[in-house]
Amino acid sequence: PVACYRQVHISFHEFSQMAIFHAAMLVADAAVEAASLVWMELAMFAAAALIYALFVGGGGVPFSFFPLGAAAGGGAKAGRGGSEGKGNGRRPSDAELGKHSAQEDHKRLMAEWEQAKGLQEAPQLDLMKVLDAMQKLAKSTADIAAELRSALAANPALLAGIATLPSALLRDDSVEMLDVILCILEEHGQEADIAAHAGLMAAQLRRRDYVGVAKTAARLQSEALTPRMRAILIAAATHRGCLDEALHHLQQMAEPAEGAKSPIASNVALQILSLAARAQRTAETTHELQRMRACIDAKSFDDLLTAESRRLKCLSACRELLEAGTALEVPRGSNAYHAMARALGQAGDPEGLRSLLQELEAEAKNGPTGIAVSEPLALALLEATRAVRDGNLAFHVLDLHRLACAGAPGGKVLCAVCGTLAACDLDDDACDFYEKELVSKGVSSDWALRSSVLTSALIQSATKIGRTELAQRLSELASAAKSGSVGSSGGSAGSGSSSEIQRHVAMIKAHTRERDLNSAAGVFSKLQASGVPLTCVIYNCFLDACVQCGDVERAVAHFDDMKRLNCVDVVGYNTLLKAFLSRGCTEKARDLVKEMNARGLQANKVTYNELLHAKVVAKDRHGVWEHVSEMQAAGVRPNSVTCSILLKLLAANSTPSEVHRVIELIEQIEEPLDEVLFSSIIEACIRIKQLDQLSNLMRRFRQQGSFVKLPAPTYGSMIKAYGQAGDVARVNELWQEMEEHCVKPTAITLGCMVEALVTNGHAQEAWDLVHKQLENEERRGCINTVIYSTVLKGFAVTRQIEKVFVAYEEMRAKDIPCNTITYNTLLDACAKCNAMSRASKLLEDMAASCVEPDIITYSTIVKGYCVEGDVDRAFKVLEDMKSDDKFSPDEIMYNSILDGCAKQHRVDDALRVLEEMKAAGISPSNYTLSILVKILGHARRLGQAFRMVEDLSKENGFRPNVQVYTCLVQACVLNKKLERALSLHDTMVADVGSAIDDKFYAVLARGCLQLHQPLKAIEIVRAAYQLPGHGLAASAKKNGAPVGVEARTLEELVGRLQHGSKAEQEALTQLNADLLELRGFRLADAQGASMGARRRG
């Protein structure tokens, strides 16, 4: 029993312990579950609050959630609002709550910023938002700068975050803040962010803060300034009128790559040129702009030229600007010639004016693309003619103007010509011109009304030469003009309706010149209302006024009235026809001509000339010859204007029959050939490259006695054309003809003659000609730098180095200035003749003459030293040029260095030059690649050569050409890798874009012979001539012609195989037979051709 009791007791005790343990566990689980529920509720509440704050902005958050200060403030404001808002305790608006929340966000950011300042590490804080918060809290830029500086002093780790700000500020166009940040970064030794500085300078330029641009750049090292930054500095300097500063930055800029856009904007280039003109430094500035390939708009340049010529009133300044325009390839407009005419007149330079007219004559020959001597330009030229007192030039001006106005100059120009003749004391010419041109065209009365000064001058001329009758008539005309009644044609005062009509004609013309059509219409209406019988003259006068003023609709309406009144004639139809054609209304013009014929009015020369001119401008050849046929059928013979128009039609693609037809029409002209027409004939023959036709024409006109005395520029054009064609005999004939006709050559004409002789290998004759001109006092001034430089070039090409330097010393002895081109020519001669020992003396002379070297100078010197084998000296020149910081090496210079390294087998130097070339941003070309392949081939680095061809061509986007592949073949042969050379052939022929030449096959065949594979050489020849029986790949080009092999290689192959084995001799015999059967020649023919070529060599 006791044992049982103990057992039961122990069991009960154990059960009690277990029950207590399970109860404790249950209580713990309940507590954990309750805590988790509470935690989940708190987490959900926090997430909701966060989402609400992020997406709603706290607009509806109860005021009790704000910090105490804010709540109190809010309560105070609410209280005030309540008292002011009628005590209704209104709820704040969403805008007010949003603003309040934003203010609190800014303050929160500032609180975090204050904490960050006290840390020792970089905080996780968006500094751009901090800057924005500072600005929104009304802190000035200076205050923000001070704040940032103090923060950096407290926590230097903030610098990394501040360094990220410039790009964001640049994006936001926050210029002032960006400037501050960049300054702070520089103060703490942070490396300058070039992109940020460039962006800041661009923004300052946009805001016209030109001083700020300069200050920003001043904080950087000069070598850190990029081309874009230099361009910005140049623009800012020009706006401040600082030419020296602009030129300094221009000189620091590297020349843009070929085909790249100029970094200098067109308007900036124009401003620089304007500053240079005022400072009389145009030439220096033009050189820099030209080097930077600056482009200037033609119209803007014309405006500049006009403004500066009026302001400077200096011929040399005007000429320099014109030369600048030519150098910068700005097309010359009529304003340029207008300004030059004004300057020449002010300077009293008749020779200069004569040259200007010759230029305009050349422009007239260009047809629609040339500069036409319009009325304003003609008047300016006549004013200059009057100023230089050379009345004979007035006729030249008039001839040029006739070409521009279809042979019908206006009264204003005619009057100006007459007045110029009188002012230049050409009394007979002035009086004759008055009677033939002014009186016959009814212009005399109009002129008398407008210019009493010219009337008096002409009366004096008539009196001086004893033409009393004309003087009397002019006096009567002047008296009538003063009384308001001008006489009829001839100048005599009339009466009645004719006198009244003439007076009104003059008034309408006067208003037309002023483009005042309303006043002209008032005069015409007043005459109609007066009851005076109206004639075709007055109707045509008002019709012309409508056309000249551009009111074609009114002209058509007026012409309808004329037809209704049956008061129309050919003059009226021609006037309206010109209006239609000038506006491209060809259908209306055609209908008008039909209507004229239906009225029984015969079209005259003016009618057909207008029609022909329109067709030539439209390049409608068929239409031109249709009108010519109509003209011939109507019995209207062509005049010089007709032929000048037709000559513009001729081009390089003109058929022989078309050329012959134009010449036939020229021969039908009734009046004698004038200088302008003959010059047009010459220009057309040169343009269509029919010099034989030109020679025949000149011979024929000379036999007919209609040959005119040609000006020197026309002879220059012919000499140049025949020189380019290689006809030296005809060149000499033309020069002799000039001498016989006593035509004084200009510097340009003489330059054309010297160039023609030098180009054709007659440098000594050219030099003798120069000496002959120097003996002539009048012609000595024509010898200039260009002519002597051409002679130097001629001797350099023929490698007569001693004559080169004799001519150079003679040039210096005669005080003919040497320019950069002259010295470059001399240095090139030294390079070609292995006489670089003379180069140092030339450079000394160059410096003494204050002639600046250019990139061509350095390239020529480098090339010369490399040709002589002095590569180290070439490297020294290259380093000197780079240290001078004026020029950057170009591809030509680097290729010259590489070529020198190739000749000296300096592989490492060549590879270093290639890397330097790449670093400078200069792309290697096929020529560069061929040199590198040669170098690597000789160095037994064949694999590297193949890799370089592949890598460089891919990197620079070009296809290796046949020269590169030829060099690769040579490299394979040198390295005894014939199979690899043959695989190059297969690669090339598989590429349709590649072109194999006879040189490639020659090198490949010769390589086979060198590697003792003559039968493989036979296969190469068969492949070259597309013969069967070879194992090489066939060309991918369909129907391609056989390329062949160089004759000398064939000769070498024949000589080798003729003394070879029996198999080689049989292969040669079979090759010979196939060539004869399929290609029509034998190897012996090629061998003979090779020997002949060597004898000629």
Side-chain angles (χ1 to χ4, degrees):
V2 174
C4 291
Y5 171 77
R6 284 179 179 173
Q7 187 177 2
V8 170
H9 180 77
I10 292 169
S11 298
F12 177 77
H13 181 71
E14 290 175 351
F15 176 78
S16 299
Q17 287 181 339
M18 290 176 62
I20 292 169
F21 176 74
H22 281 294
M25 289 292 293
L26 289 172
V27 171
D29 286 343
V32 169
E33 187 173 353
S36 66
L37 289 173
V38 172
W39 173 250
M40 287 178 63
E41 290 292 334
L42 288 172
M44 290 174 64
F45 180 83
L50 179 62
I51 292 170
Y52 188 88
L54 288 174
F55 292 98
V56 180
V61 180
F63 283 94
S64 59
F65 283 111
F66 292 141
L68 289 177
K77 291 178 183 177
R80 288 192 297 271
S83 62
E84 293 168 3
K86 299 182 182 178
N88 57 3
R90 69 175 178 84
R91 181 180 181 275
S93 67
D94 289 343
E96 290 172 337
L97 290 174
K99 182 179 180 181
H100 184 89
S101 177
Q103 289 283 339
E104 293 305 318
D105 287 343
H106 297 328
K107 291 179 179 178
R108 178 179 54 77
L109 277 170
M110 291 306 298
E112 293 176 4
W113 168 250
E114 290 296 331
Q115 291 177 0
K117 287 162 59 176
L119 301 174
Q120 294 302 315
E121 68 275 358
Q124 297 296 321
L125 194 61
D126 189 342
L127 294 187
M128 193 62 195
K129 289 184 178 179
V130 173
L131 279 186
D132 182 61
M134 291 182 185
Q135 290 172 332
K136 293 294 174 57
L137 293 173
K139 285 195 174 186
S140 66
T141 305
D143 293 339
I144 295 173
E147 175 67 24
L148 291 174
R149 287 187 174 95
S150 66
L152 282 171
N155 182 6
L158 288 170
L159 187 63
I162 293 175
T164 64
L165 291 176
S167 57
L169 292 170
L170 195 59
R171 188 171 56 249
D172 293 345
D173 200 29
S174 183
V175 179
E176 291 183 4
M177 201 66 246
L178 175 61
D179 195 13
V180 167
I181 296 297
L182 291 175
C183 288
I184 291 174
L185 291 173
E186 289 165 14
E187 290 168 7
H188 287 77
Q190 193 79 1
E191 187 176 347
D193 186 345
I194 299 300
H197 279 82
L200 174 60
M201 290 167 65
Q204 289 170 328
L205 184 65
R206 286 197 304 272
R207 296 170 183 237
R208 300 184 181 181
D209 182 9
Y210 307 127
V211 175
V213 171
K215 287 182 178 179
T216 301
R219 300 203 299 261
L220 299 171
Q221 296 292 328
S222 178
E223 57 271 15
L225 295 175
T226 64
R228 181 192 173 204
M229 297 167 81
R230 295 274 187 197
I232 294 170
L233 284 166
I234 290 167
T238 55
H239 282 292
R240 290 188 286 116
C242 300
L243 178 62
D244 286 328
E245 187 178 331
L247 285 177
H248 168 73
H249 291 299
L250 263 178
Q251 290 162 357
Q252 299 301 313
M253 293 179 73
E255 185 175 340
E258 188 68 30
K261 184 180 179 182
S262 173
I264 308 301
S266 176
N267 63 323
V268 175
L270 193 72
Q271 287 176 316
I272 296 173
L273 206 55
S274 177
L275 290 174
R278 297 177 187 183
Q280 296 183 350
R281 297 172 64 183
T282 306
E284 172 190 359
T285 305
T286 303
H287 172 74
E288 292 299 330
L289 291 175
Q290 189 178 13
R291 186 178 64 84
M292 297 307 299
R293 298 191 179 94
C295 297
I296 296 179
D297 175 63
K299 184 179 182 305
S300 302
F301 182 76
D302 278 357
D303 293 342
L304 169 68
L305 191 60
T306 302
E308 293 301 324
S309 64
R310 285 176 179 166
R311 189 183 65 81
L312 297 171
K313 295 182 180 180
C314 175
L315 176 60
S316 59
C318 191
R319 276 180 173 160
E320 284 183 352
L321 275 176
L322 280 172
E323 289 170 2
T326 302
L328 296 173
E329 299 179 0
V330 182
R332 281 195 188 181
S334 58
N335 284 350
Y337 288 100
H338 197 291
M340 194 62 190
R342 183 186 298 109
L344 288 167
Q346 291 170 346
D349 184 358
E351 286 299 322
L353 183 58
R354 195 170 289 110
S355 298
L356 186 67
L357 291 176
Q358 289 168 356
E359 284 185 39
L360 285 168
E361 185 178 326
E363 286 286 341
K365 294 173 187 175
N366 294 330
T369 60
I371 303 296
V373 180
S374 58
E375 183 175 294
L377 180 54
L379 293 173
L381 291 167
L382 288 168
E383 185 65 30
T385 302
R386 182 196 295 259
V388 302
R389 297 191 64 77
D390 189 348
N392 291 319
L393 296 179
F395 293 110
H396 198 172
V397 174
L398 182 60
D399 289 339
L400 291 171
H401 180 57
R402 286 186 196 277
L403 293 175
C405 62
K412 194 168 186 178
V413 173
L414 293 175
C415 294
V417 172
C418 189
T420 301
L421 294 173
C424 295
D425 297 329
L426 298 178
D427 302 318
D428 284 311
D429 290 332
C431 293
D432 290 343
F433 188 86
Y434 168 75
E435 292 190 312
K436 291 178 182 178
E437 296 287 346
L438 297 180
V439 174
S440 62
K441 292 181 173 58
V443 183
S444 58
S445 56
D446 175 30
W447 174 51
L449 278 173
R450 294 184 59 81
S451 181
S452 59
V453 175
L454 295 181
T455 308
S456 301
L458 196 54
I459 290 171
Q460 290 177 5
S461 295
T463 304
K464 193 186 303 181
I465 60 176
R467 297 174 68 167
T468 55
E469 183 182 351
L470 176 59
Q472 181 61 34
R473 283 191 285 116
L474 287 165
S475 298
E476 292 173 358
L477 183 63
S479 301
K482 290 179 181 178
S483 64
S485 176
V486 180
S488 61
S489 178
S492 60
S495 60
S497 61
S498 177
S499 172
E500 192 68 14
I501 287 174
Q502 288 292 342
R503 188 169 69 85
H504 283 77
V505 164
M507 293 168 66
I508 290 172
K509 287 183 176 180
H511 290 308
T512 303
R513 280 191 293 270
E514 303 295 332
R515 297 293 187 268
D516 187 358
L517 184 57
N518 290 332
S519 298
V523 173
F524 181 71
S525 300
K526 185 177 179 182
L527 183 63
Q528 280 182 313
S530 68
V532 174
L534 304 184
T535 63
C536 289
V537 173
I538 190 69
Y539 277 108
N540 288 338
C541 182
F542 183 62
L543 178 66
D544 184 64
C546 295
V547 171
Q548 293 295 330
C549 294
D551 195 342
V552 180
E553 293 181 2
R554 193 166 187 173
V556 171
H558 176 67
F559 194 68
D560 289 339
D561 291 339
M562 292 170 63
K563 290 188 289 186
R564 182 173 50 80
L565 297 170
N566 198 25
C567 193
V568 289
D569 58 7
V570 177
V571 175
Y573 272 102
N574 287 343
T575 302
L576 194 59
L577 179 69
K578 182 179 179 180
F580 284 152
L581 291 174
S582 64
R583 285 159 179 77
C585 305
T586 53
E587 290 295 330
K588 291 183 178 180
R590 191 177 296 111
D591 293 340
L592 192 67
V593 174
K594 291 178 181 177
E595 180 186 302
M596 182 170 64
N597 293 331
R599 281 183 171 269
L601 296 172
Q602 176 64 47
N604 58 14
K605 293 177 183 179
V606 176
T607 311
Y608 286 111
N609 287 345
E610 291 289 351
L611 292 168
L612 288 170
H613 183 262
K615 292 295 182 182
V616 169
V617 170
K619 298 181 180 178
D620 182 0
R621 296 177 179 274
H622 180 71
V624 167
W625 294 115
E626 273 189 354
H627 286 315
V628 170
S629 299
E630 292 171 7
M631 187 177 185
Q632 291 173 329
V636 179
R637 295 177 69 86
N639 59 8
S640 59
V641 176
T642 312
C643 294
S644 295
I645 293 169
L646 291 173
L647 285 167
K648 295 174 185 176
L649 180 70
L650 298 181
N653 59 349
S654 296
T655 61
S657 60
E658 191 172 50
V659 176
H660 181 68
R661 196 168 180 184
V662 173
I663 293 171
E664 283 185 341
L665 288 171
I666 292 171
E667 292 173 345
Q668 294 175 16
I669 296 176
E670 296 172 341
E671 67 265 22
L673 293 179
D674 59 10
E675 181 185 318
V676 175
L677 177 58
F678 205 91
S679 297
S680 299
I681 294 170
I682 293 168
E683 180 65 29
C685 290
I686 292 172
R687 186 171 63 248
I688 64 177
K689 295 180 172 60
Q690 293 198 13
L691 300 180
D692 292 339
Q693 186 73 259
L694 175 59
S695 299
N696 294 335
L697 273 175
M698 292 182 68
R699 194 176 301 110
R700 195 183 313 165
F701 288 139
R702 191 179 290 108
Q703 291 170 354
Q704 295 172 357
S706 55
F707 187 79
V708 297
K709 182 179 177 180
L710 298 173
T714 305
Y715 275 108
S717 299
M718 289 192 291
I719 288 169
K720 182 178 180 181
Y722 282 107
Q724 290 172 346
D727 191 347
V728 181
R730 183 60 182 146
V731 166
N732 287 322
E733 283 177 16
L734 288 169
W735 185 262
Q736 187 61 33
E737 188 177 287
M738 275 182 64
E739 298 283 8
E740 291 172 358
H741 287 83
C742 299
V743 177
K744 180 185 176 183
T746 64
I748 296 174
T749 312
L750 182 57
C752 292
M753 183 65 186
V754 171
E755 179 72 27
L757 292 172
V758 166
T759 303
N760 290 281
H762 296 270
Q764 184 61 52
E765 288 183 31
W767 199 18
D768 293 341
L769 179 65
V770 170
H771 287 156
K772 189 175 179 180
Q773 305 309 304
L774 287 169
E775 293 170 3
N776 190 320
E777 185 70 30
E778 293 182 355
R779 298 185 180 183
R780 195 172 297 163
C782 295
I783 307 299
N784 55 26
T785 306
V786 176
I787 290 172
Y788 257 102
S789 296
T790 305
V791 173
L792 293 173
K793 183 176 69 175
F795 288 135
V797 169
T798 54
R799 288 174 165 72
Q800 300 182 66
I801 191 67
E802 294 302 327
K803 286 189 177 180
V804 168
F805 277 89
V806 170
Y808 168 59
E809 293 301 333
E810 180 181 286
M811 188 177 178
R812 297 185 69 193
K814 295 186 181 300
D815 292 327
I816 296 173
C818 299
N819 58 16
T820 308
I821 296 173
T822 309
Y823 284 109
N824 288 346
T825 304
L826 290 163
L827 288 167
D828 187 56
C830 294
K832 287 176 178 175
C833 301
N834 291 329
M836 289 304 293
S837 57
R838 299 177 183 253
S840 56
K841 176 64 168 61
L842 287 174
L843 292 174
E844 290 174 9
D845 292 349
M846 201 172 182
S849 302
C850 299
V851 176
E852 288 291 329
D854 58 10
I855 187 67
I856 298 173
T857 311
Y858 286 104
S859 293
T860 307
I861 296 171
V862 166
K863 177 185 174 183
Y865 286 132
C866 288
V867 168
E868 282 193 346
D870 195 349
V871 182
D872 290 328
R873 197 159 183 183
F875 273 114
K876 178 68 167 56
V877 173
L878 179 66
E879 293 303 320
D880 289 346
M881 188 194 75
K882 290 193 294 186
S883 63
D884 195 25
D885 204 24
K886 282 188 178 179
F887 304 105
S888 297
D890 57 5
E891 185 198 340
I892 296 173
M893 186 176 292
Y894 279 120
N895 286 342
S896 296
I897 291 276
L898 287 171
D899 202 30
C901 292
K903 291 174 181 176
Q904 299 290 318
H905 305 298
R906 297 170 64 160
V907 183
D908 294 335
D909 284 338
L911 295 177
R912 178 174 57 81
V913 169
L914 176 63
E915 292 305 317
E916 184 180 319
M917 191 175 179
K918 290 179 182 178
I922 298 172
S923 301
S925 64
N926 270 311
Y927 184 68
T928 314
L929 199 51
S930 63
I931 298 171
L932 291 166
V933 169
K934 287 179 187 177
I935 295 173
L936 294 171
H938 279 283
R940 302 296 190 269
R941 299 186 187 181
L942 186 60
Q944 188 176 357
F946 272 85
R947 288 194 301 274
M948 184 162 289
V949 170
E950 183 178 358
D951 294 343
L952 286 184
S953 59
K954 283 183 180 179
E955 290 171 6
N956 297 280
F958 65 84
R959 184 198 304 268
N961 61 14
V962 67
Q963 284 77 24
V964 173
Y965 280 110
T966 303
C967 292
L968 275 174
V969 168
Q970 290 173 326
C972 290
V973 172
L974 278 171
N975 289 269
K976 296 181 172 55
K977 301 290 183 182
L978 183 59
E979 290 302 322
R980 199 163 187 179
L982 295 173
S983 69
L984 284 171
H985 169 270
D986 295 348
T987 302
M988 284 196 73
V989 297
D991 186 357
V992 179
S994 296
I996 301 184
D997 59 9
D998 58 347
K999 173 78 172 177
F1000 176 85
Y1001 279 114
V1003 170
L1004 194 54
R1006 196 177 289 117
C1008 293
L1009 293 177
Q1010 290 173 6
L1011 296 177
H1012 310 292
Q1013 298 285 336
L1015 293 178
K1016 186 62 73 175
I1018 290 280
E1019 290 190 47
I1020 299 299
V1021 175
R1022 286 184 171 276
Y1025 287 100
Q1026 296 182 8
L1027 301 175
H1030 65 83
L1032 280 75
S1035 175
K1037 297 178 182 177
K1038 295 182 179 179
N1039 303 321
V1043 174
V1045 183
E1046 283 183 348
R1048 291 188 180 183
T1049 304
L1050 290 177
E1051 180 187 353
E1052 184 180 343
L1053 177 67
V1054 170
R1056 177 75 173 271
L1057 293 178
Q1058 281 177 341
H1059 300 88
S1061 66
K1062 183 178 180 182
E1064 292 171 358
Q1065 291 177 5
E1066 289 176 353
L1068 178 62
T1069 303
Q1070 186 61 45
L1071 174 64
N1072 214 355
D1074 290 345
L1075 282 172
L1076 183 61
E1077 179 184 354
L1078 299 176
R1079 297 292 169 247
F1081 79 96
R1082 294 173 298 179
L1083 288 173
D1085 299 334
Q1087 189 173 359
S1090 174
M1091 292 174 66
R1094 272 184 288 180
R1095 281 196 298 269
R1096 288 192 298 273

